Amino acid sequence: VEFVKLAATYSTVNLGQGFPDFPPPDFLKEEFTRAFSGEKHMLHQYTRAFGHPPLVKILAQLFGKLLGRDLDPMTNVMVTVGAYQALFCCFQAFVDEGDEVIIIEPFFDCYEPMVKMAGGTPVFIPLRPKAPKDGKLMSSADWKLDPAELASKFSERTKAIVLNSPNNPLGKVFSREELELIADLCVKHDALCISDEVYEWLVYDGKEHIRIASLRGMWDRTVSIGSAGKTFSVTGWKVGWTVGPNRLLQHIRTVHQNSVYHCATAAQEVVAQGFQREFERYGKPDSYFVQLPKEMQQKRDQLVQSLVAVGMKPIVPEGTYFLVADISEFKSDVPDVPNSDEPYDSRFAKWMVKNKGLAAIPLSAFYCGPHKNNYNSFIRFCFAKEEATLKAADDILQKWK
């Protein structure tokens, strides 16, 4: 919130907050216009509380195909106000006072407070970077879990682990081997997996997004969370969903029913039509799910080149909207503040937006309090921007040299 406010006040180019500044696909805009201007006047009224029937039906079809199982749209899928509400419902439904929830660092910043709001105790496990050989740029794949360290975090108090793949902020796409390690520990300790997969279609360089719910023993203990905002580049529509076994979703429905209760009908209708189109085109060249990651990979590569040219060291992401860069070479630009506990990357990001007009987010914002200074020489940029925005960012960086 602090850095969003700073960006609004000072920045001429905002590569901080994670939203596209380019339009959604034409077919979705056409469906939007049709929904609001047509004869379907009931789209302006309530629909089914747990998900508009056309939307949960197509989600069950698509994710049933991807997971290799028959899904019941009424019991295995629930629509939420964005993936954010899906996360909130999961923590409220499953986490009780004294329960421990394992969170992989760096993490999307709402996980920790949501666990605490539910009465749980967050237990943190870091992804640890290993420098690549031959002077190559680091990849998000170079940040890994230590198997023994991860195993040590599970105990009889462990209720769940939160998995975010592709990961925000690093852009890491967890490999099958890494997911099987997590899955085996979940089965061994009878723990749940809350799998945040909002960037599931944004994977680059031929990498594969593997759904942990598809692994042996994991369907019955996993809630998979998705987002139309990230899927169709419409973050303001706030349509998300959960997919999982009824034994878990029944408790999420209870939280949803007694908090938000209902999501916007017309937005769900339009998203349903978008998914219907993509289901029919699945894997084909004209699919938006095929075209978007190609375009985003080009944007990623463009920002990588801009950062390398000015002396930053980007960590090339395998997925998501985001790219983390090492700013160690710029320490002389930002003066030390005596007796300050504020991490260096936080001071750097504030200095950059005020003095250069370029907004980014410090990586320390994605760590718990005691760990904020462990990885404090990195900042996160969002490259889900149109060409003009990335060019403006490059102009700022070129003047910096």
Side-chain angles (χ1 to χ4, degrees), residues 3 138 143 307-308 310-315 323-334 343-353 358-364 372 375-381 397 400:
F3 283 92
M138 186 179 282
W143 292 60
L307 295 173
V308 167
V310 78
M312 292 189 191
K313 297 174 185 173
I315 298 165
L323 180 160
V324 170
D326 186 336
I327 52 170
S328 301
E329 299 295 319
F330 292 79
K331 290 223 169 181
S332 61
D333 286 358
V334 181
Y344 169 72
D345 60 349
S346 178
R347 289 190 286 113
F348 182 92
K350 290 176 182 177
W351 174 87
M352 187 172 72
V353 72
L358 180 61
I361 306 290
L363 189 63
S364 60
K372 284 189 182 297
Y375 299 95
N376 66 356
S377 61
F378 300 92
I379 55 175
R380 189 200 76 175
F381 294 96
L397 291 166
W400 200 330

Side-chain angles (χ1 to χ4, degrees), residues 39-47 265:
E39 298 301 315
K40 296 182 178 180
H41 60 273
M42 289 307 293
L43 292 179
H44 299 282
Q45 309 305 328
Y46 292 130
T47 185
T265 305

Side-chain angles (χ1 to χ4, degrees), residues 304-322:
V304 165
Q305 290 174 0
S306 295
L307 295 173
V308 167
V310 78
M312 292 189 191
K313 297 174 185 173
I315 298 165
V316 181
E318 302 159 282
T320 75
Y321 286 167
F322 305 111

Side-chain angles (χ1 to χ4, degrees), residues 84 87 91 107-115:
Y84 212 85
L87 288 162
F91 293 125
F107 58 88
F108 181 48
D109 57 353
C110 76
Y111 299 160
E112 180 182 9
M114 284 187 181
V115 168

Side-chain angles (χ1 to χ4, degrees), residues 17 133 143 154 169 213 232 241 269 278 283 317 325 364 375 381 394 401:
Q17 213 173 353
K133 297 177 181 177
W143 292 60
F154 281 80
F232 290 114
W241 54 85
E269 171 72 16
E278 288 303 299
S364 60
Y375 299 95
F381 294 96
D394 183 65
K401 288 196 292 185

Side-chain angles (χ1 to χ4, degrees), residues 59-60 104 126 135 153 156 178 231 270 324 391 394 401:
L59 288 173
I104 300 168
K153 300 296 181 180
E156 59 186 16
E178 290 172 311
T231 298
V270 179
V324 170
K391 176 66 169 62
D394 183 65
K401 288 196 292 185

Side-chain angles (χ1 to χ4, degrees), residues 103-109 111-112 124 167-169 366-368:
I103 298 175
I104 300 168
E105 292 184 306
F107 58 88
F108 181 48
D109 57 353
Y111 299 160
E112 180 182 9
F124 299 99
N167 164 275
N168 172 15
F366 303 93
Y367 284 85
C368 68

Side-chain angles (χ1 to χ4, degrees), residues 195-358:
S195 186
D196 180 350
E197 303 181 27
V198 298
Y199 297 101
E200 59 195 324
W201 303 107
L202 294 168
V203 177
Y204 315 127
D205 302 317
K207 298 286 183 182
E208 179 188 7
H209 170 63
I210 298 166
R211 293 166 172 81
I212 196 167
S214 69
L215 301 186
R216 187 176 61 185
M218 289 305 291
W219 166 255
D220 286 331
R221 61 182 67 255
T222 301
V223 176
S224 302
I225 295 171
S227 161
K230 307 305 191 297
T231 298
F232 290 114
S233 308
V234 286
T235 60
W237 290 14
K238 295 298 290 180
V239 177
W241 54 85
T242 59
V243 174
N246 184 51
R247 79 177 192 94
L248 298 179
L249 261 60
Q250 64 182 336
H251 303 297
I252 299 175
R253 289 195 294 268
T254 299
V255 177
H256 175 78
Q257 180 177 342
N258 291 289
S259 55
V260 172
Y261 176 66
H262 187 277
C263 309
T265 305
Q268 292 186 71
E269 171 72 16
V270 179
V271 171
Q273 296 304 320
F275 269 114
Q276 187 64 53
R277 177 193 187 275
E278 288 303 299
F279 185 73
E280 293 165 2
R281 289 168 172 77
Y282 184 76
K284 296 179 180 177
D286 63 342
S287 164
Y288 188 66
F289 295 170
V290 171
Q291 293 173 349
L292 181 63
K294 288 181 178 179
E295 293 172 10
M296 294 290 284
Q297 184 172 323
Q298 291 175 349
K299 294 175 184 294
R300 178 202 69 178
D301 294 346
Q302 183 177 345
L303 183 57
V304 165
Q305 290 174 0
S306 295
L307 295 173
V308 167
V310 78
M312 292 189 191
K313 297 174 185 173
I315 298 165
V316 181
E318 302 159 282
T320 75
Y321 286 167
F322 305 111
L323 180 160
V324 170
D326 186 336
I327 52 170
S328 301
E329 299 295 319
F330 292 79
K331 290 223 169 181
S332 61
D333 286 358
V334 181
D336 280 331
V337 179
N339 304 317
S340 173
D341 293 330
E342 184 176 16
Y344 169 72
D345 60 349
S346 178
R347 289 190 286 113
F348 182 92
K350 290 176 182 177
W351 174 87
M352 187 172 72
V353 72
K354 291 176 182 178
N355 292 277
K356 301 294 183 180
L358 180 61

